[in-house]
């Protein structure tokens, strides 16, 4: 059973089913745009087109093209000049969500955090010693 939600594109109320966040009308429009991009790229002459060229020739926005790629609907192995932005720094990438340098930065940060956690857990607690000297009166 679906739940009621507002379409993220047009704002109309619709019954949400699965991971689709848009109403049937907007979904049909988006599907037509995908077919336009897909048919453009299926032509042998257009397989070396860049993302900008696809956007310019089809009239489909770059963000929607990137969405098709992230959804796995456009597979980049056949299109060597199409890329999309890294989620963190916007560098152009062809796979995953992060570029190599951003993923390495996160990896090094996690390794540093783990080393600090291990070191803080290994440090023995040192007892506090107090002298028993009395104040001279």
């Amino acid at each position: 059973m679906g739940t009621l939600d507002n379409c993220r594109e047009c704002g109309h109320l619709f019954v949400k089913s699965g991971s689709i966040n848009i109403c049937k009308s907007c979904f049909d429009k988006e599907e037509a745009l995908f077919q336009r991009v897909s048919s453009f790229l299926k032509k042998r002459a257009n397989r070396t087109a860049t993302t900008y060229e696809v956007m310019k020739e089809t009239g489909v926005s770059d963000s929607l093209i990137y969405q098709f790629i992230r959804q796995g609907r456009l597979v980049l192995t056949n299109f060597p000049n199409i890329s999309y932005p890294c989620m963190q720094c916007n560098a152009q990438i062809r796979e995953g969500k992060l570029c190599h340098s951003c993923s390495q930065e996160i990896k090094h940060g996690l390794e540093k955090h783990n080393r600090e956690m291990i070191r803080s857990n290994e440090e023995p607690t040192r007892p506090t010693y107090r002298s028993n000297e009395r104040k001279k009166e």
Side-chain angles (χ1 to χ4, degrees), residues 51 62-67 69-70 76 82-99 102:
T51 308
D62 57 346
S63 61
L64 195 53
I65 294 170
Y66 299 150
Q67 178 182 322
I69 295 169
R70 286 193 176 105
L76 298 184
I82 294 181
S83 58
Y84 56 97
C86 168
M87 297 289 275
Q88 187 166 338
C89 71
N90 290 329
Q92 292 297 305
I93 57 175
R94 291 188 42 82
E95 61 183 29
K97 293 184 178 188
L98 298 172
C99 67
C102 288

Side-chain angles (χ1 to χ4, degrees), residues 5 8 19-20 56-57 71 76 78 82 86 93 95 100 113-114 118 126 134 136-137:
D5 202 358
R8 66 182 166 118
S19 63
I20 298 173
K56 185 176 148 189
E57 293 296 322
Q71 289 172 342
L76 298 184
N78 297 326
I82 294 181
C86 168
I93 57 175
E95 61 183 29
H100 181 72
H113 174 74
N114 287 338
I118 290 169
R126 296 180 183 147
R134 295 184 188 187
K136 293 183 180 179
E137 297 178 21

Side-chain angles (χ1 to χ4, degrees), residues 1-74:
M1 184 112 199
T3 58
L4 283 177
D5 202 358
N6 288 75
C7 176
R8 66 182 166 118
E9 295 294 321
C10 67
H12 287 100
L13 197 61
F14 75 105
V15 177
K16 182 177 179 180
S17 61
S19 63
I20 298 173
N21 294 324
I22 54 178
C23 66
K24 174 80 171 120
S25 174
C26 291
F27 179 79
D28 291 341
K29 290 175 188 173
E30 193 174 283
E31 188 63 26
L33 293 173
F34 172 74
Q35 291 304 324
R36 189 183 306 170
V37 170
S38 179
S39 63
F40 175 78
L41 289 172
K42 282 181 182 176
K43 294 177 184 171
R44 190 172 204 53
N46 299 332
R47 289 189 181 168
T48 58
T50 64
T51 308
Y52 177 75
E53 291 169 339
V54 173
M55 182 180 69
K56 185 176 148 189
E57 293 296 322
T58 62
V60 177
S61 69
D62 57 346
S63 61
L64 195 53
I65 294 170
Y66 299 150
Q67 178 182 322
F68 295 150
I69 295 169
R70 286 193 176 105
Q71 289 172 342
R73 296 178 76 186
L74 286 179

